[in-house]
Amino acid sequence: MIFQIIKKEVQEILRDGRFKISFFIVLFLLVASVFITSKQYSSINEQYDSAEKNERTVWESQGAKNPHSAAHFGNYVFKPKLPLSLLDQGVDKYTGISIFLEAHNRNQAQYSTATDQTALSRFGELTPDFILFFIIPLIIILVGYNSFTKEIEGRTFYIIKSQGVDGWKLVIGKWIAALIPTLIITTLLFLIAGIILSNIKGFGVFSWSSFGILYLIYLIYYFIFTNVILLISSISKKSGIALVSSLTFWVLACFIAPKIASNIADSKYPYPTQQEFSENIAKEKSEGLDGHNPWNQKSKELEEKVLKEHNVNSVNDLPFNYSAYRMQKSEEYQAEIYAKHYKKLKNQFKKQSSIYKTLAVISPFLPARFLSMSIANTDYQSHINFSDAAEDYRIKTQAFLNGNTEKNSKIGERYVASADTWKDLPRFEYTPASLSEKLNENTSNFVILFLWFSVTGGLLFLTNKNY
Amino acid sequence: MIKTTNLTKKYGDFIALKNLNLEIKQGEIFCLLGANGAGKSTTINLLLNFIAPTSGQAFINDTDVVKNAKKTKSFLTYIPENLMLYPTLSAVENLDYFLGIGGGKFYKPELEAFLEEAGLQKEAHHKRIQFFSKGMRQKVGIALAIAKDAKVLLLDEPTSGLDPKSSNEFGELLKKMRKNNVAILMATHDIFRAKEIGTHIGIMKQGELKHSFATDQISLQDLEKLYLETMNLNEV
């Protein structure tokens, strides 16, 4: 019986000219978006690879110099473009792609893609995530808005009822039929993306399991949309009303709810301004140990402490270069200040995230989007992880450079490290969070998504139980 | 085959059907006559379990239509005044679908044979319903009854709006169904057609069955007179 219902619904859909046109437009947009994004992806990764190699070459070719000069010379680390960003670019466009690492300062990521674009880019780009999140739900609306109302308007409703059809079978049949075009489009997109990603070598590890989970998340999102659209159709008296109500739901879920969530989170837990943030750090830094200033109060205290520990009267009697030691202690102190202030930012981010997670109940778009960005490693948490990894590397680099001076020279001596020294600095490596970590981080989003699916599905069945 | 006992339907204070006691056996065609709002369609809707009775019971093939709605629907076919089918599907596809949702599975040649038996020309079998006349659509409804091997046919003014030729053809089809022992209940305004094809006639007014008799007990003229008297229109 269910098969008969699916067959008939699909026949009707296929004979609807409006659907054919829309389907091919979406299919075209989809292929175009994957093509454009994969080109961008390859190009960015080539640039990344080239920039990383050049940067290392520049670092290693500094020649003989004082390690602290090398610390100020600094080096860049680059954020890798990860494979699943082909499907969901998340916040990548707005976050910087490289961080300049230097002594004494923790710099923020810079050169975001958005800054290089024209004002028109604010209207959005033709990316797979745009089609997956915004356009495909429109296909579901187009196919499903009159799924039940057409039976009332066409008066076929009475013949169906007189045949003794089970309401739940009718719902399942219509539900599957309404999903078939979406399943075809989505599966096609993922197949093309999977083939492209599994064939691009050298740029991050492509994980089929993450890819599969991402596919599953989109499917659940579409299941929810199908539930809601069919529910609207089953309780509406006219197709026109069902269409307007369905489009209203689309606007509310995909556009209004994210704005509401964002505004609430921002107003409840605002971030400090860039100026405030920098001033607070500068103030604390000025009150602490300054590696360049031996007459600073804190420097004097450190000197006294070290002399006492080593039971000597002068820094010249210490078995290491005290100046480099003080520089390292100053770095550690400044790193602590940065860690403290960035922790505040992260706490604020966590509070905002918790608001988002709570507000995810108002729209299935929110949990689906958070999950998608997270699995694709393009969410803000992934950017924080990269930024933290870069800061760890900066701290280790400073320790390496100061340690080199501390071990190989004496205070007052003009020390020049050999040209080969810089090669000994380990390369920057950034490993994104694993899939299991991502899934653990997003348990509540999964729960909310399943709740949306269960509640809307339950309502759909209850409404049509006695069809 | 069709039986009602004190079947009553009220909407607040309004009585749409009052204590209807009716029995239609296999091979009988019971034509219900009456003005609009007399309770004819309410009776059919109650037998279909589209609406619940306020009191009384209705049975199809000795099965309670309320308690065993799904089972009773497997015995019957319903053809409303204007049988609407899916316009973008062909006659064969429509038949296949409606039989399918009732649990039936037929192959295309069988479906074509049912349509042919119902009098639908071969060239129309695979045409979209949107190009069908009302008479052709009613034939698809009859094909549904034939395919289901329906024991009961419930017809709600099926000949209204049909041209005389189509109406006559439809009447002949009903007679054929009757010979196959189908119990038919037909609500109609058409006294002539009721006298011609019915085995029994009932006249309803304001939710009550005022008269019920075998067709051969009354002439067409007397039937018309009785109908008008019942409707209080004998002075016209």
Side-chain angles (χ1 to χ4, degrees):
Chain A
M1 186 194 284
I2 293 172
F3 173 74
Q4 293 287 335
I5 297 165
I6 298 169
K7 187 177 148 193
K8 173 257 176 186
E9 292 288 328
V10 171
Q11 278 173 333
E12 282 195 296
I13 292 167
L14 290 177
R15 288 171 192 179
D16 185 341
R18 292 168 307 171
F19 170 75
K20 278 184 201 164
I21 294 167
S22 316
F23 183 83
F24 284 110
I25 288 173
V26 171
L27 209 59
F28 171 75
L29 289 176
L30 190 82
V31 173
S33 71
V34 172
F35 180 74
I36 293 166
T37 317
S38 63
K39 284 273 172 201
Q40 282 175 347
Y41 176 77
S42 299
S43 157
I44 289 170
N45 271 323
E46 277 166 20
Q47 286 172 35
Y48 168 81
D49 197 36
S50 154
E52 202 187 29
K53 280 179 188 155
N54 284 344
E55 183 57 27
R56 187 68 193 184
T57 308
V58 168
W59 172 259
E60 289 179 1
S61 316
Q62 291 181 79
K65 65 159 73 162
N66 180 275
H68 195 65
S69 298
H72 278 289
F73 180 75
N75 56 353
Y76 277 96
V77 289
F78 300 94
K79 190 169 153 186
K81 185 102 177 133
L82 295 166
L84 291 182
S85 66
L86 181 81
L87 287 167
D88 192 341
Q89 298 203 11
V91 296
D92 266 7
K93 188 179 153 187
Y94 306 99
T95 55
I97 51 167
S98 66
I99 300 178
F100 179 60
L101 308 180
E102 60 175 334
H104 317 307
N105 292 314
R106 175 176 181 171
N107 296 310
Q108 291 189 359
Q110 50 190 337
Y111 308 119
S112 68
T113 315
T115 55
D116 291 337
Q117 292 179 328
T118 63
L120 281 174
S121 71
R122 288 194 62 79
F123 293 109
E125 285 177 345
L126 184 64
T127 54
D129 55 284
F130 173 72
I131 293 176
L132 287 166
F133 275 112
F134 299 98
I135 304 299
I136 291 183
L138 282 177
I139 288 277
I140 297 175
I141 291 174
L142 183 73
V143 173
Y145 80 94
N146 66 349
S147 198
F148 285 94
T149 49
K150 72 182 173 193
E151 306 286 4
I152 295 168
E153 288 168 337
R155 299 181 70 82
T156 44
F157 166 74
Y158 299 102
I159 311 299
I160 292 174
K161 271 186 97 171
S162 73
Q163 293 302 303
V165 66
D166 290 315
W168 68 270
K169 286 182 182 170
L170 192 73
V171 168
I172 288 186
K174 283 182 178 289
W175 191 83
I176 294 173
L179 262 171
I180 285 175
T182 299
L183 284 177
I184 292 172
I185 293 171
T186 313
T187 308
L188 206 62
L189 180 135
F190 272 79
L191 269 177
I192 297 169
I195 291 166
I196 292 172
L197 290 171
S198 57
N199 282 298
I200 297 176
K201 290 184 176 71
F203 301 121
V205 181
F206 170 64
S207 150
W208 280 105
S209 48
S210 298
F211 190 70
I213 297 278
L214 203 59
Y215 179 63
L216 189 70
I217 290 163
Y218 284 106
L219 287 192
I220 297 171
Y221 177 61
Y222 301 142
F223 291 169
I224 294 167
F225 249 93
T226 308
N227 285 350
V228 174
I229 302 310
L230 291 190
L231 180 64
I232 290 172
S233 182
S234 70
I235 57 174
S236 300
K237 290 200 168 80
K238 288 181 179 174
S239 294
I241 294 170
L243 180 62
V244 171
S245 308
S246 300
L247 288 172
T248 306
F249 173 75
W250 176 71
V251 170
L252 287 174
C254 299
F255 298 97
I256 309 291
K259 296 273 178 211
I260 291 173
S262 171
N263 286 353
I264 292 176
D266 276 346
S267 61
K268 200 160 184 198
Y269 298 110
Y271 281 120
T273 62
Q274 182 69 44
Q275 193 186 1
E276 275 172 355
F277 185 69
S278 305
E279 276 175 4
N280 289 340
I281 290 173
K283 186 170 175 277
E284 281 198 41
K285 275 167 84 174
S286 69
E287 288 165 359
L289 183 64
D290 182 352
H292 283 292
N293 183 2
W295 296 279
N296 167 285
Q297 178 60 32
K298 295 283 178 187
S299 297
K300 285 281 174 201
E301 285 170 19
L302 177 72
E303 190 180 315
E304 276 169 29
K305 190 181 155 221
V306 172
L307 292 176
K308 201 174 173 186
E309 272 173 12
H310 288 82
N311 205 18
V312 291
N313 295 322
S314 162
V315 289
N316 295 318
D317 299 332
L318 286 168
F320 49 83
N321 185 336
Y322 174 72
S323 184
Y325 176 83
R326 189 181 61 231
M327 195 63 79
Q328 178 55 25
K329 287 291 163 194
S330 162
E331 281 297 339
E332 286 168 16
Y333 168 73
Q334 287 164 348
E336 271 175 32
I337 294 172
Y338 279 113
K340 188 177 108 184
H341 285 272
Y342 274 88
K343 194 179 172 190
K344 278 184 191 168
L345 278 189
K346 277 187 259 178
N347 282 340
Q348 208 70 345
F349 166 71
K350 274 183 190 164
K351 284 175 186 167
Q352 287 201 354
S353 292
S354 106
I355 295 252
Y356 284 134
K357 282 178 184 171
T358 311
L359 289 173
V361 293
I362 64 172
S363 161
F365 174 87
L366 291 169
R369 183 85 223 217
F370 294 146
L371 277 165
S372 169
M373 289 197 298
S374 181
I375 304 294
N377 274 303
T378 56
D379 59 344
Y380 197 62
Q381 181 59 55
S382 300
H383 180 70
I384 290 175
N385 293 346
F386 166 73
S387 177
D388 284 349
E391 175 63 2
D392 278 350
Y393 183 68
R394 187 184 76 85
I395 293 167
K396 281 177 190 159
T397 304
Q398 300 314 311
F400 167 83
L401 296 170
N402 289 326
N404 182 284
T405 312
E406 199 181 316
K407 277 182 225 155
N408 301 318
S409 65
K410 291 202 167 180
I411 194 163
E413 177 190 336
R414 193 180 178 279
Y415 172 62
V416 174
S418 74
D420 291 337
T421 309
W422 325 120
K423 284 180 187 160
D424 294 338
L425 177 72
R427 286 169 182 267
F428 171 66
E429 275 177 18
Y430 165 60
T431 311
S434 67
L435 177 63
S436 59
E437 283 172 289
K438 290 285 179 186
L439 295 179
N440 282 336
E441 272 172 26
N442 286 284
T443 315
S444 70
N445 285 324
F446 265 112
V447 170
I448 291 170
L449 211 56
F450 278 109
L451 269 177
W452 261 98
F453 174 65
S454 313
V455 171
T456 53
L459 283 172
L460 179 64
F461 276 90
L462 283 175
T463 313
N464 294 283
K465 197 174 66 177
N466 299 316
Y467 195 83
Chain B
M1 194 53 62
I2 301 173
K3 192 178 175 186
T4 66
T5 50
N6 295 322
L7 193 63
T8 301
K9 179 67 188 176
K10 289 181 187 171
Y11 294 99
D13 293 335
F14 176 73
I15 302 171
L17 191 67
K18 190 176 175 186
N19 294 328
L20 178 70
N21 291 295
L22 192 69
E23 188 165 4
I24 305 166
K25 293 179 180 142
Q26 282 183 308
E28 287 183 355
I29 301 179
F30 193 102
C31 294
L32 268 182
L33 292 169
N36 289 335
K40 305 186 297 291
S41 296
T42 303
T43 305
I44 288 175
N45 286 338
L46 285 163
L47 287 166
L48 285 163
N49 196 38
F50 284 179
I51 51 174
T54 308
S55 61
Q57 283 178 300
F59 300 90
I60 302 266
N61 200 20
D62 296 327
T63 310
D64 191 308
V65 299
V66 177
K67 289 177 185 162
N68 253 315
K70 199 179 169 199
K71 193 177 174 190
T72 58
K73 283 172 184 174
S74 69
F75 301 132
L76 64 84
T77 293
Y78 165 61
I79 301 178
E81 180 183 350
N82 202 356
L83 178 64
M84 297 304 286
L85 303 164
Y86 296 103
T88 55
L89 303 190
S90 69
V92 168
E93 286 165 345
N94 267 286
L95 194 57
D96 185 32
Y97 173 66
F98 286 115
L99 289 168
I101 61 170
K105 177 77 195 113
F106 297 93
Y107 294 103
K108 203 184 269 182
E110 291 175 294
L111 298 169
E112 287 169 342
F114 295 137
L115 288 167
E116 204 163 343
E117 200 180 333
L120 191 73
Q121 314 92 297
K122 265 188 180 177
E123 50 274 25
H125 291 184
H126 296 283
K127 269 191 181 167
R128 290 189 184 185
I129 291 289
Q130 65 198 69
F131 304 113
F132 276 32
S133 66
K134 181 182 171 183
M136 289 164 86
R137 291 202 305 272
Q138 303 293 58
K139 284 175 185 170
V140 178
I142 294 292
L144 184 62
I146 295 169
K148 270 182 86 173
D149 198 14
K151 292 181 165 43
V152 167
L153 202 52
L154 299 174
L155 310 167
D156 197 353
E157 299 180 23
T159 55
S160 130
L162 284 184
D163 63 75
K165 184 174 172 282
S166 302
S167 182
N168 188 54
E169 276 178 9
F170 192 76
E172 291 306 315
L173 279 171
L174 293 188
K175 284 180 190 170
K176 207 164 128 188
M177 301 288 288
R178 182 196 146 200
K179 280 180 191 160
N180 290 334
N181 277 330
V182 178
I184 301 172
L185 172 64
M186 180 166 87
T188 182
H189 292 294
D190 189 344
I191 297 171
F192 172 76
R193 195 64 58 198
K195 167 69 184 153
E196 196 211 333
I197 61 170
T199 57
H200 294 76
I201 289 175
I203 301 175
M204 294 189 83
K205 189 189 171 191
Q206 291 172 346
E208 278 187 83
L209 184 64
K210 297 286 185 187
H211 305 282
S212 177
F213 40 80
T215 317
D216 54 13
Q217 289 173 353
I218 195 165
S219 68
L220 181 61
Q221 278 176 326
D222 289 343
L223 175 62
E224 192 174 10
K225 194 179 167 193
L226 179 64
Y227 179 79
L228 292 172
E229 276 173 8
T230 312
M231 300 295 121
N232 289 329
L233 288 170
N234 48 341
E235 68 274 13
V236 177

